[in-house]
């Protein structure tokens, strides 16, 4: 019953912006830390941003000054605002949760972000 559905990816020029959304169901995002990961072809999946149960964000160093993770508890959604995008940001972006009560991890299907130069 737990489900994560990402949206908002697309093709954008270098320097542009995108806002990714993650709609969660089957649990409350306000009771769990939420993460955004990304994976480019031939590379390891990496943690991009995390928002704690208390709403405090942390970021991958290379995106810290450009990306913002946030949430809307009423809508049970998590967002990733991405500004000043670079070709190096090109990847599949995934929403992720590790449920605090069960320890089970869940992933969305991913949304593709492509940044052209």
């Amino acid at each position: 019953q737990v489900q994560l559905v990402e949206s908002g990816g697309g093709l954008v020029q270098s320097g542009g912006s995108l806002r990714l959304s993650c709609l969660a169901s089957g649990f409350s995002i306000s009771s769990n830390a939420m993460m955004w990961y990304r994976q480019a072809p031939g590379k390891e999946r990496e943690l991009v941003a995390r928002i704690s149960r208390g709403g405090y964000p942390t970021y991958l160093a290379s995106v810290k000054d450009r990306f913002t993770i946030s949430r809307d508890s009423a809508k049970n959604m998590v967002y990733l605002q991405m500004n000043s995008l670079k070709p190096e940001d090109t990847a599949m972006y995934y929403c992720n949760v590790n449920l605090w009560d069960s320890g089970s991890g869940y992933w969305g299907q991913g949304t593709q972000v492509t940044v052209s130069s």
Side-chain angles (χ1 to χ4, degrees):
Q1 191 167 283
V2 171
Q3 190 172 349
L4 302 170
V5 180
E6 303 97 330
S7 62
L11 175 63
V12 65
Q13 289 189 339
S14 181
S17 298
L18 286 172
R19 188 194 192 206
L20 306 184
S21 299
C22 174
L23 175 61
S25 58
F27 70 98
S28 174
I29 64 167
S30 65
S31 298
N32 297 272
M34 300 295 297
M35 283 75 70
W36 283 99
Y37 284 79
R38 69 185 182 188
Q39 187 168 27
K43 297 184 178 180
E44 296 294 317
R45 187 170 296 188
E46 62 182 350
L47 178 63
V48 177
R50 179 181 187 272
I51 186 165
S52 73
R53 293 178 66 193
Y56 297 99
T58 56
Y59 302 94
L60 180 68
S62 61
V63 310
K64 187 175 182 179
D65 296 326
R66 301 182 294 118
F67 291 10
T68 303
I69 187 170
S70 62
R71 68 186 184 187
D72 185 334
S73 296
K75 296 181 179 179
N76 216 41
M77 295 186 70
V78 182
Y79 307 96
L80 186 67
Q81 179 67 46
M82 306 185 296
N83 299 324
S84 301
L85 283 162
K86 305 175 180 179
E88 305 92 272
D89 297 316
T90 295
M92 187 74 74
Y93 283 72
Y94 299 92
C95 187
N96 169 258
V97 62
N98 290 303
L99 296 180
W100 66 269
D101 56 350
S102 67
S104 298
Y106 296 90
W107 297 88
Q109 83 289 345
T111 185
Q112 178 68 40
V113 172
T114 303
V115 185
S116 65
S117 59

